[in-house]
Amino acid sequence: MKPRHQPPRYLRPRARIHFCLTRLLWSSGFAFGLWGAIALPSRPAETLRVSWADTNLDLPVSVLENFQRTGRFDRGFGFLNVLVPEATLKEARTALSARLPLSPEVLRPVLTNTDTLEIFLQQIGSLIRPQPGESGAAALRQALLTASEQPQGLTLIGLIKAFPGPLMQLDLDTGLKLFQRIRALEAETGAMLRAIAAQMQEQPSLPSRNFRPAQRGPYTVRQQNWDWVDSDRTRRVPTTIYWPDRQGLSLPVVIISHGLGEDRGNFAYLAQFLASHGFVVVLPEHVGSSSRQFASAAAGFANPPGPQEAIDRPQDIRFVLDRLMLEPQWRFRVNTRRVAVLGHSYGGFTALMLAGAVIEPEKIRAACSSVERLMLVPSASLQCSLGRLPRDRYDLRDPRVVAVLPISPFASKVFEPAALNQVQTPTLLWSGSADLIVPTLAEAIQPFQRLGSPNKHLVVAVNATHFSVLGESQGPATRLPPALLGPSPELGRRALQQVSLSFLQTYLLGQSQARVGLTAAAAEQLSNPVMPLLFSEQLPPAIARQN
């Protein structure tokens, strides 16, 4: 019998170096932006020194440039053409010229974020140095910005050429250990996803008539914008509300919290779809971490988000719920005593906090003490910056929130296992298997196992990335390259619509028949060869024991 759910395809050898280089850069916090330059020698590097097993190999940058153009080493380095396997030479040449998806607009905001930057310095300074024994973080910061502004974009050969000072030293021992660990995690993740797929095969298959993907609902959707201000915090909370044109009181409320560098527009498509099925959907904009804030930071007119944003975001949502009850138009039309919160990335973290997950900065600092482990979790720089929050404990649970759907959230460094166990509300955790920002194993499978809710669901969209569910931004967002959007964002958005509707109908409206939309039978119908879906309510025993 042919398996219904195909396991994810992993990268071929040719792409592995590019993948790991990209992931290493994202792990340094670049997915959340960077800027700032300090006075360093403007003279570009002339020599790349590769240190490996107590041996140094000094490669003139000009020789490396020629290798990148021709695929062969010359000028006394021809022995590398014989010693290095042909496949590795091809991989190295591809890696040198491959354009990495980091523009100056993406880099500038993060380099202004001193909280994120300090952790980034820990991560990268031991790998790349201007001189033996020196940290290479400051030089790398300048080189990244310089290289990203070149017409060909940010490439590894461009980064080497832009490195200030005569020497760029690469610690290959440390780099190879990191590469091997990433490969091991990749294999471990693949094994776990195959186990979940096998588990789905063992579940009884329901007749296809029991689940039919929903189209747009029967209600006409209305829209209204508000520019509210929380005077207690002197903070604007611009908000868009989508609602169904229907009669009735106590309509169900859904809040959608956007991610870092995003805005309300990114999930307008989901809000309109849910509103057409009878929900009042509220999209607040978190002004301290929106696309507009990032654009202002890149232009030098504002500061990038700091640790306090992690506390302001849940408070934004609590404020919006309070404000709805003060507006005559909404006071009696919506039920704010039973609310669901959906959130993407930073918004997923926000949803988990509202559901009862507590953060304790001292424990975050302890979790962030291992530099090697930090490099394996690309969102670690942002997560670890929350260790600088001043209080001992932050509990922002809101009893009005009775269901949460975190979409690609980060959790591994900010929430202790005991904190996730405090989440007792129904939870659906969505992840993309090709997510470079919040990897499925560390940020979805392991946190899912620790959730305390008796009603929890894990959905993994195979081949989907961190950004495969985003719609069009309303603000000055950076255009993402296709590689970061995944094979089909349209498939990702449609799948999220269906899964969200089934989850909300089940746990917010109490429609038990909607639960079929969260089963393997639904996953089979919603899956596509390009983006299969894996559903699980309880991890296979072998996986559970490992987590």
Side-chain angles (χ1 to χ4, degrees):
M1 177 179 175
K2 183 179 179 180
R4 295 191 307 247
H5 309 286
Q6 297 295 326
R9 297 186 298 271
Y10 288 95
L11 296 173
R12 294 182 173 88
R14 165 172 278 220
R16 286 172 185 155
I17 290 181
H18 182 211
F19 170 80
C20 289
L21 287 170
T22 305
R23 183 165 182 171
L24 177 59
L25 290 174
W26 280 112
S27 75
S28 306
F30 299 149
F32 307 98
L34 285 178
W35 172 248
I38 61 174
L40 288 169
S42 58
R43 178 183 173 187
E46 299 172 352
T47 303
L48 173 65
R49 173 172 292 170
V50 181
S51 300
W52 182 34
D54 298 324
T55 302
N56 292 332
L57 173 65
D58 287 355
L59 272 173
V61 172
S62 58
V63 169
L64 207 56
E65 285 185 275
N66 185 69
F67 167 73
Q68 183 260 322
R69 288 193 300 269
T70 67
R72 312 305 292 175
F73 285 100
D74 63 358
R75 290 171 50 189
F77 292 90
F79 65 92
L80 293 173
N81 300 322
V82 178
L83 292 178
V84 181
E86 189 66 27
T88 303
L89 288 173
K90 290 180 178 179
E91 287 182 353
R93 186 184 181 196
T94 299
L96 283 170
S97 57
R99 181 169 181 169
L100 300 175
L102 297 167
S103 66
E105 292 76 20
V106 172
L107 290 171
R108 286 191 186 103
V110 182
L111 284 168
T112 29
N113 190 337
T114 55
D115 295 301
T116 301
L117 183 58
E118 184 174 333
I119 297 157
F120 158 67
L121 300 178
Q122 287 181 10
Q123 292 176 311
I124 206 70
S126 61
L127 280 178
I128 300 174
R129 307 177 181 188
Q131 293 292 338
E134 293 183 17
S135 171
L140 182 64
R141 178 176 56 184
Q142 179 173 322
L144 279 165
L145 187 66
T146 302
S148 69
E149 291 176 333
Q150 299 306 306
Q152 67 272 25
L154 178 59
T155 63
L156 183 56
I157 188 65
L159 181 66
I160 294 170
K161 290 168 62 178
F163 198 81
L167 180 69
M168 178 178 181
Q169 179 166 329
L170 174 64
D171 185 344
L172 196 58
D173 286 319
T174 302
L176 287 174
K177 288 178 183 177
L178 176 63
F179 179 87
Q180 292 164 358
R181 183 65 179 133
I182 288 174
R183 290 290 309 283
L185 285 176
E186 179 188 348
E188 186 179 356
T189 302
M192 290 188 173
L193 295 183
R194 286 189 291 273
I196 293 173
Q199 179 190 54
M200 290 175 62
Q201 295 288 358
E202 297 170 359
Q203 296 178 10
S205 182
L206 297 174
S208 59
R209 66 176 179 273
N210 287 1
F211 174 76
R212 292 184 179 178
Q215 304 300 316
R216 190 177 176 90
Y219 299 108
T220 301
V221 176
R222 307 295 183 189
Q223 174 184 345
Q224 187 175 31
N225 294 320
W226 298 83
D227 195 8
W228 288 327
V229 176
D230 184 350
S231 57
D232 290 341
R233 296 181 297 147
T234 319
R235 180 174 165 106
R236 292 178 58 244
V237 189
T239 302
T240 300
I241 301 176
Y242 296 89
W243 74 94
D245 191 1
R246 59 177 286 196
Q247 299 299 317
L249 303 177
S250 293
L251 299 180
V253 176
V254 177
I255 309 283
I256 300 180
S257 174
H258 65 76
L260 191 63
E262 300 168 6
D263 55 56
R264 292 170 284 172
N266 289 119
F267 289 96
Y269 78 91
L270 180 58
Q272 293 169 4
F273 176 79
L274 294 175
S276 75
H277 284 274
F279 297 92
V280 175
V281 188
V282 183
L283 280 73
E285 189 149 312
H286 304 291
V287 295
S289 50
S290 67
S291 60
R292 293 173 179 81
Q293 180 73 6
F294 265 70
S296 296
F301 298 126
N303 294 321
Q308 180 60 33
E309 184 66 11
I311 309 305
D312 283 330
R313 286 172 140 262
Q315 291 178 336
D316 287 344
I317 292 175
R318 296 168 77 168
F319 165 77
V320 165
L321 290 174
D322 292 342
R323 188 60 192 253
L324 281 173
M325 300 310 296
L326 297 177
E327 295 292 339
Q329 177 181 351
W330 297 110
R331 186 180 306 165
F332 301 108
R333 291 204 64 197
V334 297
N335 180 6
T336 58
R337 295 184 301 279
R338 289 182 54 80
V339 174
V341 178
L342 285 68
H344 177 248
S345 192
Y346 211 161
F349 160 84
T350 302
L352 288 169
M353 284 204 73
L354 289 163
V358 173
I359 59 174
E360 300 178 76
E362 184 176 352
K363 292 181 178 179
I364 294 174
R365 293 192 292 272
C368 294
S369 59
S370 169
V371 174
E372 180 181 350
R373 290 177 61 193
L374 290 184
M375 286 184 170
L376 301 173
V377 181
S379 64
S381 293
L382 179 65
Q383 295 190 57
C384 292
S385 72
L386 305 192
R388 293 172 172 78
L389 286 165
R391 283 169 39 192
D392 294 335
R393 191 171 186 271
Y394 293 84
D395 184 350
L396 294 175
R397 179 199 321 259
D398 193 314
R400 294 171 292 188
V401 176
V402 298
V404 292
L405 199 162
I407 307 160
S408 301
F410 56 79
S412 63
K413 303 299 178 188
V414 288
F415 296 129
E416 284 274 293
L420 290 171
N421 189 253
Q422 294 300 310
V423 177
Q424 297 291 323
T425 60
T427 303
L428 188 149
L429 201 161
W430 169 290
S431 178
S433 73
D435 194 329
L436 296 180
I437 313 305
V438 287
T440 296
L441 177 59
E443 306 293 357
I445 293 176
Q446 292 172 346
F448 173 78
Q449 176 68 11
R450 296 162 183 164
L451 289 171
S453 174
N455 297 299
K456 60 183 181 180
H457 303 264
L458 174 67
V459 175
V460 179
V462 178
N463 300 323
T465 73
H466 193 68
F467 307 102
S468 291
V469 297
L470 292 188
E472 291 295 324
S473 171
Q474 293 178 341
T478 300
R479 184 172 297 277
L480 296 170
L484 288 182
L485 292 174
S488 177
E490 179 59 31
L491 288 176
R493 291 191 288 266
R494 285 209 303 265
L496 181 61
Q497 286 177 328
Q498 299 293 329
V499 168
S500 300
L501 180 61
S502 296
F503 178 75
L504 294 170
Q505 288 175 333
T506 301
Y507 293 108
L508 195 57
L509 301 185
Q511 297 176 358
S512 58
Q513 70 275 17
R515 204 174 191 281
V516 69
L518 303 174
T519 64
E524 183 175 4
Q525 290 201 47
L526 295 175
S527 289
N528 182 285
V530 175
M531 191 179 291
L533 296 181
L534 303 179
F535 284 16
S536 180
E537 295 181 41
Q538 184 174 4
L539 294 178
I543 296 179
R545 285 193 295 270
Q546 295 178 46
N547 293 283

